[in-house]
Amino acid sequence: LYNKNMKKIRKIDVVQQNPRDQKLRVAAYCRVSTKFEGQKSSIELQKEYYTKLIGENPNWENAGVFVDYGSRCRIKGRPAFCEMIHKAMKGEIDYIITKSISRFSGNTVDMLKTIRSLEEKGVTVCFEKENLISTDDKTEMVITLYTALAQNEIQNMSENIKWGYTQKIFLRVND
């Protein structure tokens, strides 16, 4: 190649790094509904499982195992979940693995908003129990159905618990 003054110029091609050469930054999300002793061992097993799963894949880099205890419904009350999503939105996480849809979110609207936001940033979510990947074409419909069922289950459990307390109080009053 030559410039305007007819001096020979050597063209240097830009070598772009193949994204496949980079390790996928993988995070895991674990949650149990209470801090009771029995569930503490469950969360430890989940953390151990995901740490090992991510560590054994030579194409993956561990981007963190995020753990929350408590509420299934609202995202706001789950600090580790919020931290994980924040890191994913900043480009620090490429792939998220979680046990099931119900572990990720029990609220349909929150679930869909989160999944769509992550997809816009190129982040994929894998739901192991349901064998679903968020980027598959039919996944949104399936996620909507599963989340609606999980949300309904939560409401039923809440009503059953309230009914049980009411009956317990009623029985004490009438003794």
Side-chain angles (χ1 to χ4, degrees), residues 98-117:
T98 190
K99 179 181 173 185
S100 68
I101 289 172
S102 65
R103 294 288 107 191
F104 201 73
S105 178
N107 180 286
T108 308
V109 174
D110 285 346
M111 171 70 90
L112 292 175
K113 281 183 181 178
T114 303
I115 294 294
R116 288 174 185 157
S117 295

Side-chain angles (χ1 to χ4, degrees), residues 39-151:
Q39 295 215 323
K40 284 184 182 177
S41 64
S42 171
I43 206 70
E44 289 306 316
L45 289 172
Q46 288 181 56
K47 286 168 41 179
E48 186 179 312
Y49 166 77
Y50 285 117
T51 301
K52 184 177 179 186
L53 179 71
I54 294 167
E56 288 178 346
N57 190 321
N59 299 318
W60 289 0
E61 174 185 319
N62 192 332
V65 177
F66 298 84
V67 177
D68 279 317
Y69 297 89
S71 173
R72 292 195 248 187
C73 288
R74 304 309 301 195
I75 289 172
K76 290 178 185 174
R78 296 188 281 147
F81 183 86
C82 293
E83 178 187 359
M84 178 185 69
I85 298 303
H86 179 71
K87 285 185 169 200
M89 299 305 279
K90 286 186 351 184
E92 297 175 15
I93 297 171
D94 304 310
Y95 194 82
I96 298 170
I97 306 171
T98 190
K99 179 181 173 185
S100 68
I101 289 172
S102 65
R103 294 288 107 191
F104 201 73
S105 178
N107 180 286
T108 308
V109 174
D110 285 346
M111 171 70 90
L112 292 175
K113 281 183 181 178
T114 303
I115 294 294
R116 288 174 185 157
S117 295
L118 290 169
E119 281 183 2
E120 286 176 14
K121 292 291 184 178
V123 179
T124 301
V125 181
C126 171
F127 303 97
E128 288 193 303
K129 181 179 171 186
E130 295 85 3
N131 195 26
L132 290 173
I133 303 291
S134 64
T135 53
D136 290 348
D137 292 339
K138 297 176 185 171
T139 297
E140 188 169 301
M141 182 184 73
V142 175
I143 287 173
T144 302
L145 291 172
Y146 273 108
T147 309
L149 290 171
Q151 193 173 340

Side-chain angles (χ1 to χ4, degrees), residues 33 72 103 150-164:
S33 47
R72 292 195 248 187
R103 294 288 107 191
Q151 193 173 340
N152 188 46
E153 181 183 335
I154 292 166
Q155 288 171 331
N156 286 338
M157 284 181 9
S158 176
E159 289 171 12
N160 289 341
I161 291 168
K162 287 176 189 174
W163 182 86

